[in-house]
Amino acid sequence: MFDQLFPNVDVEKAWEKTLETLYMTGVSLIWVFIIGILFGLLLFLTEKGNLWENKFAHGLIASVVNIFRSIPFVILIVLLLPFTKFLVGTIIGKEAAIPALIIGSAPFYARMVEIGLREIDKGVIEAAKAMGAKTTTIIWKVLLPESMPAIVSGVTVTGIALVGYTAIAGVIGAGGLGDYAYLDGFSRNNNDVTLFATFVILLIVFTIQWIGDVITTRLDKR
């Protein structure tokens, strides 16, 4: 039945492309999670009225985040080619796509982390300060735990966006399901290949969303 529905699909190649998509998404998401939380915390803490209030630092960090968040991903890949070459030694392949995937997604996630931190009741932070808690203690014991549902929800949305970005990364030969759908499907007029690749991408997206929803629900005690 599979051969009748998808006569032009090479299962072995499709599996290889699926692994490439999962690899690029997984590795990038780990770095986006770390960098996004770091920049999200800095954006929040340097805001007016917060622990590290600093107008210049906040403006500088916000500008960097806004600039990289605003550049279309396909253009960002091209702009970063010299940096990618310096960092990984090549501008082609899935390894070359990862720096652009991280730099393109981390600012977006940082803003989501900042929004999550803003939702924390100010009274909780003030109570911790009144008890003499250090800034690091407030970060680890108050800010991150209290905003964890928003942080997980944000990384879920970012992970789904990364799956879409991996398809665009095909312009530098990164491979993945998007590349498979375009080169083996659309370019050769094999609609069944395009449909199959789309189905697998949707399956990955739904799985990420389901995992994120389960974790968020368990963390949210409201």
Side-chain angles (χ1 to χ4, degrees), residues 110-138:
R111 281 297 186 192
M112 300 188 80
V113 171
E114 182 195 15
I115 292 170
L117 291 168
R118 283 180 178 174
E119 291 176 354
I120 298 174
D121 186 350
K122 293 284 185 184
V124 178
I125 301 173
E126 291 302 323
K129 288 166 65 178
M131 288 189 289
K134 296 178 181 178
T135 301
T136 51
T137 304
I138 294 175

Side-chain angles (χ1 to χ4, degrees), residues 24-25 28-29 32 101-102 105 157-167:
M24 288 187 284
T25 303
S28 301
L29 194 57
V32 166
L101 289 169
I102 295 170
S105 303
V157 174
T158 308
I160 291 171
L162 272 169
V163 174
Y165 285 170
T166 61

Side-chain angles (χ1 to χ4, degrees), residues 24-144:
M24 288 187 284
T25 303
V27 172
S28 301
L29 194 57
I30 292 171
W31 283 104
V32 166
F33 182 74
I34 296 169
I35 296 170
I37 287 181
L38 178 63
F39 273 77
L41 278 170
L42 288 174
L43 281 168
F44 177 75
L45 292 171
T46 56
E47 260 186 345
K48 185 178 180 180
N50 285 338
L51 295 168
W52 293 343
E53 178 180 342
N54 187 312
K55 188 176 181 181
F56 174 77
H58 182 78
L60 180 64
I61 298 165
S63 297
V64 171
V65 168
N66 287 340
I67 288 170
F68 282 98
R69 197 174 58 144
S70 303
I71 301 174
F73 184 67
V74 69
I75 297 175
L76 183 66
I77 290 178
V78 176
L79 290 175
L80 288 175
L81 286 180
F83 175 70
T84 301
K85 174 74 174 177
F86 168 77
L87 197 65
V88 300
T90 180
I91 59 172
I92 297 174
K94 56 182 182 295
E95 299 293 345
I98 289 176
L101 289 169
I102 295 170
I103 294 173
S105 303
F108 172 74
Y109 181 53
R111 281 297 186 192
M112 300 188 80
V113 171
E114 182 195 15
I115 292 170
L117 291 168
R118 283 180 178 174
E119 291 176 354
I120 298 174
D121 186 350
K122 293 284 185 184
V124 178
I125 301 173
E126 291 302 323
K129 288 166 65 178
M131 288 189 289
K134 296 178 181 178
T135 301
T136 51
T137 304
I138 294 175
I139 291 173
W140 287 106
K141 301 291 186 182
V142 178
L143 297 181
L144 292 179

